[in-house]
Structure formats: structure tokens, C-alpha cells
Amino acid sequence: MKNNILPLAAMENLLKIKANAPRVSNSAKEELRNILEDYAEKIGEMAVKLAAHSKRKTVTGEDIRLAAKS
């Protein structure tokens, strides 16, 4: 079983408030959480590589933006 970081309540808010979904199933919330966490992990890994390439230990917002574009 995967250790999740993002709460299901946040996934429900994204779907209901931002996407205007009238109802959201638990499976939809869980799947969205899994996809977002996987995507965030990939962006984070790339951002760490970008910071290291710049000889920095600190990951910056610019690293995240660049990683998300690649």
C-alpha cells in the first residue's frame, strides 16, 4: 500500500469547487490523489536535479517551474 500525502478532502474540494462536480466518489478522489502525487514526485525529482546542476541544495520555485515544463 502506498503512503499518501495529499488528503482526500483536498481532492474532493478540487473536484467540487474548482471543477464544479456535483458529487464525487471515493474512487475518484483516490485516483486523483494518486495521479497528482505521482506527477508531483516526478516534478520534485527533476527540480532536485536542476538545483544540483546549479550547485545548490535548495530547490527554488524556478526549479519547480522549469521541471514542470520538461
Side-chain angles (χ1 to χ4, degrees), residues 39 42-44 46-47 50 62-70:
Y39 184 60
K42 290 174 186 169
I43 289 174
M46 179 57 76
L50 290 167
E62 184 63 22
D63 295 327
I64 298 294
R65 278 189 291 280
L66 289 171
K69 288 182 180 181
S70 62

Side-chain angles (χ1 to χ4, degrees), residues 2-54:
K2 182 179 175 182
N3 289 333
N4 295 107
I5 296 170
L6 298 173
L8 287 179
M11 302 304 102
E12 185 169 7
N13 286 340
L14 281 170
L15 291 166
K16 281 189 166 186
I17 296 168
K18 298 295 184 178
N20 297 315
R23 296 178 64 195
V24 180
S25 71
N26 281 337
S27 64
K29 291 183 270 190
E30 290 170 1
E31 194 61 32
L32 179 59
R33 174 175 62 185
N34 291 336
I35 289 168
L36 290 178
E37 287 183 354
D38 288 344
Y39 184 60
E41 184 178 348
K42 290 174 186 169
I43 289 174
E45 289 170 353
M46 179 57 76
V48 169
K49 289 178 184 178
L50 290 167
H53 179 73
S54 297

Side-chain angles (χ1 to χ4, degrees), residues 47-61:
V48 169
K49 289 178 184 178
L50 290 167
H53 179 73
S54 297
K55 298 183 177 26
R56 290 182 283 108
K57 291 182 181 180
T58 303
V59 175
T60 65

